[in-house]
Amino acid sequence: VKFGRKDPFAFSSDSSITLSKLKLKGFITISDENYAMVNYLDNEGPVSIESIGGVNTNLLPEGALISEIKVNEGYIKISHESEIFIIFLKKSNNL
């Protein structure tokens, strides 16, 4: 085990607390590439499959990466701290 690494067997709810601040607002497709429109800590914008929090975007928690964008199903998959989270687009009743 490397110095400073978290115990992989320790229970931690930090991931879900951090990701609870992430909101999926919608989707856009440009040149056959899908993007998810997200809001995280009062920052809003597009993220794609290549987006990694703290590396190339401030729209995701540090170390989180988008592993899948499913526009037709209305969700994104995010890998964060060895866990996979699915965030669904909240449907509006204002349509």
Side-chain angles (χ1 to χ4, degrees):
V1 177
K2 294 180 181 178
F3 179 78
R5 183 174 176 181
K6 292 182 181 179
D7 180 359
F9 301 106
F11 177 77
S12 172
S13 62
D14 292 344
S15 295
S16 59
I17 292 169
T18 302
L19 285 170
S20 71
K21 298 174 189 209
L22 178 72
K23 305 292 181 215
L24 178 59
K25 307 292 275 182
F27 300 97
I28 57 173
T29 302
I30 301 171
S31 300
D32 293 331
E33 186 169 350
N34 293 326
Y35 295 87
M37 297 299 294
V38 297
N39 182 296
Y40 179 66
L41 299 177
D42 296 325
N43 295 311
E44 192 166 308
V47 291
S48 66
I49 297 294
E50 295 85 22
S51 298
I52 303 171
V55 175
N56 59 9
T57 186
N58 65 346
L59 298 170
L60 297 171
E62 188 170 328
L65 63 97
I66 302 290
S67 58
E68 193 172 355
I69 297 175
K70 290 291 190 177
V71 176
N72 293 337
E73 286 86 8
Y75 71 85
I76 59 175
K77 278 188 184 179
I78 297 177
S79 299
H80 188 243
E81 295 182 358
S82 302
E83 296 183 61
I84 296 175
F85 298 88
I86 298 175
I87 299 177
F88 288 92
L89 179 64
K90 186 176 180 180
K91 295 186 179 188
S92 174
N93 293 332
N94 298 333
L95 297 176

